[in-house]
């Protein structure tokens, strides 16, 4: 029995935290064949012509988001039509869909931006006519496209983009609970979850990152460098109209995850391990980590952080995904809150930083739209999963396609 539990504890980390765009399509789903497939530096693209188009005429370039490993553009195509036929509707309107994938989605945002730049240049070389591009991305893809276009402008490269969009992109940072990040490194063998949490992209995007070497959490050096590199190219592209969409609500209403409450407990495998929702305070316990092989215990604390888990924003099944892995390993799991905030609404629409409770939970209707760094933005009327393309948000974006 002890050998079985040891193997179970060692194997728990073979998962990654993913949203709807990186989950398997429904059984029997078949994505349409692309009209063109491109090999790009650091990635690739699938091109789907708009209805009645014989080539690229009215292009919409969309960059994939964050995960571990190579993009799967079949999964991405399926995800973008799971709740609302977004790509189908784009093509029906005569728009050519260009999905950009990366050889390594967890690589530096700066590196993957080169792939988007190459996709833009190839699109311009093949475009028939003079319709300006729409360029953007989902989650991390929005940051990649943002940096790519801004850098092109700095280098006096004409990207001919009329509209830039970001879809639940962490412009001011994303949030993975500190206790969860710590657990990735508490697993006593190298694992996918730890590789994802410690990847260059995670270190750049996460508002607070857990450092396994020091046991401390804070702003990762890679994030500081990324923000400086972004500032060096002007922060944003200035030529296109800038749009931002958020999966979270904008009225200050978060999700029902009371601060300080236990969200997940495990017995039998990692027995006694428990996670609590982030609460305010100087020294707040967010996780009690315990394992048998090799035997170890660790208390994870944070200080002076706002109530992030229940904040208004696009959600991720952060604890639900871990609970699934623990149950698969044979654990007895008490899961009380499977979803928590991943990209706060104020981050997705570039209105506020995440450090202050009042900003994180602000009613955005009370804030002047001119305070955002983008030209136009919207949020969901209900809390929805991170990057889920709903009819409400999809229609809003379709109504703002470039002429």
């Amino acid at each position: 029995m002890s050998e079985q539990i040891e193997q179970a504890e060692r194997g728990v980390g073979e998962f990654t935290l993913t949203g709807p765009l990186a989950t398997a399509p429904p059984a029997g789903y078949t994505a349409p064949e692309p009209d063109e497939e491109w090999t790009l530096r650091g990635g690739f693209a699938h091109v789907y012509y708009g209805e009645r188009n014989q080539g690229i005429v009215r292009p919409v370039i969309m960059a994939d988001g964050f995960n571990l490993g190579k993009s799967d553009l079949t999964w991405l195509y399926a995800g973008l039509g799971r709740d609302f036929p977004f790509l189908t509707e784009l093509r029906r309107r005569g728009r050519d869909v260009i999905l950009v994938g990366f050889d390594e989605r967890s690589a530096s945002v700066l590196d993957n931006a080169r792939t988007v730049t190459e996709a833009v240049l190839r699109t311009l070389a093949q475009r028939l006519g003079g319709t300006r591009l729409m360029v953007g991305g989902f989650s991390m893809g929005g940051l990649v496209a943002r940096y790519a276009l801004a850098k092109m402008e700095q280098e006096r490269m004409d990207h001919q983009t009329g509209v830039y969009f970001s879809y639940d992109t962490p412009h001011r940072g994303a949030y993975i609970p500190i206790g969860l990040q710590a657990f990735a490194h508490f697993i006593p063998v190298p694992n996918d979850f730890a590789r994802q949490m410690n990847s260059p992209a995670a270190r750049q995007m996460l508002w607070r990152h857990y450092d396994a070497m020091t046991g401390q959490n804070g702003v990762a050096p890679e994030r500081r460098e990324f923000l400086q590199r972004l500032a060096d190219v002007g922060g944003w592209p200035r030529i296109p109209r800038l749009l931002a969409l958020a999966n979270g609500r904008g009225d200050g209403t978060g999700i029902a995850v009371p601060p300080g409450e236990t969200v997940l407990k495990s017995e039998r495998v990692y027995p006694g391990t428990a996670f609590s929702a982030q609460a305010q305070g100087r020294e707040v316990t967010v996780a009690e980590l315990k394992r048998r092989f090799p035997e170890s215990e660790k208390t994870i604390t944070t200080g002076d952080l706002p109530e992030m888990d229940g904040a208004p924003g696009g959600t991720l099944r952060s604890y639900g995904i871990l609970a699934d892995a623990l149950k698969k390993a044979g654990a007895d799991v008490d899961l009380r809150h499977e979803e928590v905030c991943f990209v706060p609404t104020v981050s997705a629409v570039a209105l506020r930083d995440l450090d202050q409770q009042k900003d994180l939970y602000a009613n955005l209707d009370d804030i002047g739209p001119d305070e955002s760094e983008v030209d136009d933005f919207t949020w969901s009327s209900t809390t929805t999963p991170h990057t889920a393309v709903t009819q409400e948000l999809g229609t809003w974006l379709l109504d703002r396609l470039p002429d």
Side-chain angles (χ1 to χ4, degrees), residues 131-154:
T131 300
R132 296 181 71 76
L133 280 57
M134 185 177 196
V135 179
F138 299 85
S139 189
M140 177 197 75
L143 279 180
V144 173
R146 171 183 164 185
Y147 180 81
L149 293 177
K151 192 169 191 292
M152 291 180 77
E153 290 181 8
Q154 186 200 45

Side-chain angles (χ1 to χ4, degrees), residues 103-153:
D103 291 339
E104 179 49 69
R105 284 171 288 182
S106 68
S108 167
V109 171
L110 306 174
D111 292 341
N112 281 336
R114 299 188 190 111
T115 307
V116 171
T117 299
E118 191 168 324
V120 169
L121 294 175
R122 181 151 181 181
T123 299
L124 293 175
Q126 294 189 207
R127 180 188 52 182
L128 307 173
T131 300
R132 296 181 71 76
L133 280 57
M134 185 177 196
V135 179
F138 299 85
S139 189
M140 177 197 75
L143 279 180
V144 173
R146 171 183 164 185
Y147 180 81
L149 293 177
K151 192 169 191 292
M152 291 180 77
E153 290 181 8

Side-chain angles (χ1 to χ4, degrees), residues 29 37 46-47 56 90 150 236 239 258 273 285 309 332 343 383:
Y29 173 85
E37 295 186 32
H46 287 182
V47 181
I56 298 173
L90 274 174
W236 296 82
I239 294 171
T273 289
T285 297
D309 293 81
D332 295 325
V343 177
T383 299

Side-chain angles (χ1 to χ4, degrees), residues 348-366:
V349 299
L351 260 175
R352 288 285 189 272
D353 289 331
L354 311 184
D355 304 76
Q356 301 296 323
Q357 180 86 357
K358 62 181 177 59
D359 291 334
L360 191 62
Y361 284 80
N363 185 337
L364 304 189
D365 283 323
D366 297 337

Side-chain angles (χ1 to χ4, degrees), residues 4 9 31 56-57 91 113-114 119 175 184 200 214 240 242 252 265 325 333 344 356 367 391:
Q4 289 179 329
E9 290 193 345
I56 298 173
V57 181
R91 298 176 72 189
R114 299 188 190 111
Y175 170 72
T214 65
L242 307 178
K265 293 175 67 176
V333 171
Q356 301 296 323
I367 301 174
Q391 181 173 354

Side-chain angles (χ1 to χ4, degrees), residues 7 13 16-17 28 52 73 77 79 97 129 132 239 251 274 298 319 328 343 361 367 376-377 379 387:
Q7 286 300 112
T16 59
L17 298 183
R52 297 176 296 279
L73 296 185
Y77 197 106
V97 171
R132 296 181 71 76
I239 294 171
D251 61 358
K298 194 167 195 175
Y319 288 110
K328 185 178 178 180
V343 177
Y361 284 80
I367 301 174
D376 197 4
F377 57 87
W379 51 75
T387 67

Side-chain angles (χ1 to χ4, degrees), residues 35 195 199 398:
D35 294 292
R195 282 189 282 271
S199 66
L398 288 168

